[in-house]
Amino acid sequence: MTQSLNRLVERQIQKALAEGQLSGLSGEGKPLPDRSGEAFTDMATAVASRIMAEAGALPEEFKLKKLLEAAKESYREAEGDDAKRVAMALIADLEQRYNIAVEARRRFMAP
């Protein structure tokens, strides 16, 4: 059965190529995007996340992750104990909020 499905898919691809349906697509001629972060994510979650990101509707989890990365960078650049302490407090808060968001998504997606 798998063999016949592979042949069917290959025929459909060849037909689309012959009809020119696969030319002029967005990203044609460019390298594939780096999606190594999705390696340990199930396919449904990865696809859903990608669709939401392309639509500009990022979940809170992703927004927090970007903020967390920026806070870590500001900690590395901070000079003085007070600045480092403030940056570390922000990192701790963002990490906690990020972990809560991740856990909420996992519970929501669990069967």
Side-chain angles (χ1 to χ4, degrees), residues 4-65:
S4 60
L5 181 62
N6 286 342
R7 282 195 300 264
L8 174 65
V9 169
E10 187 60 34
R11 274 197 307 259
Q12 292 295 321
I13 291 172
Q14 292 304 322
K15 180 181 174 188
L17 278 171
E19 294 173 354
Q21 294 176 351
L22 299 179
S23 62
L25 298 173
S26 66
E28 183 178 9
K30 297 177 185 173
L32 291 173
D34 178 27
R35 294 197 176 117
S36 57
E38 297 176 2
F40 301 107
T41 306
D42 65 287
M43 187 171 31
T45 303
V47 170
S49 299
R50 192 173 326 124
I51 290 170
M52 287 189 302
E54 288 173 0
L58 287 176
E60 187 70 16
E61 173 184 343
F62 297 128
K63 294 175 188 175
L64 289 170
K65 188 173 184 179

Side-chain angles (χ1 to χ4, degrees), residues 14 23 28 49 53 59 73-74 84-85 87 93 100 106 110-111:
Q14 292 304 322
S23 62
E28 183 178 9
S49 299
E73 181 62 31
S74 71
K84 287 192 181 278
R85 197 172 301 117
D93 178 58
I100 290 170
R106 285 186 183 146

Side-chain angles (χ1 to χ4, degrees), residues 69-85:
E69 290 170 3
K72 287 179 180 179
E73 181 62 31
S74 71
Y75 175 79
R76 284 190 286 273
E77 294 172 356
E79 296 179 9
D81 290 339
D82 289 338
K84 287 192 181 278
R85 197 172 301 117

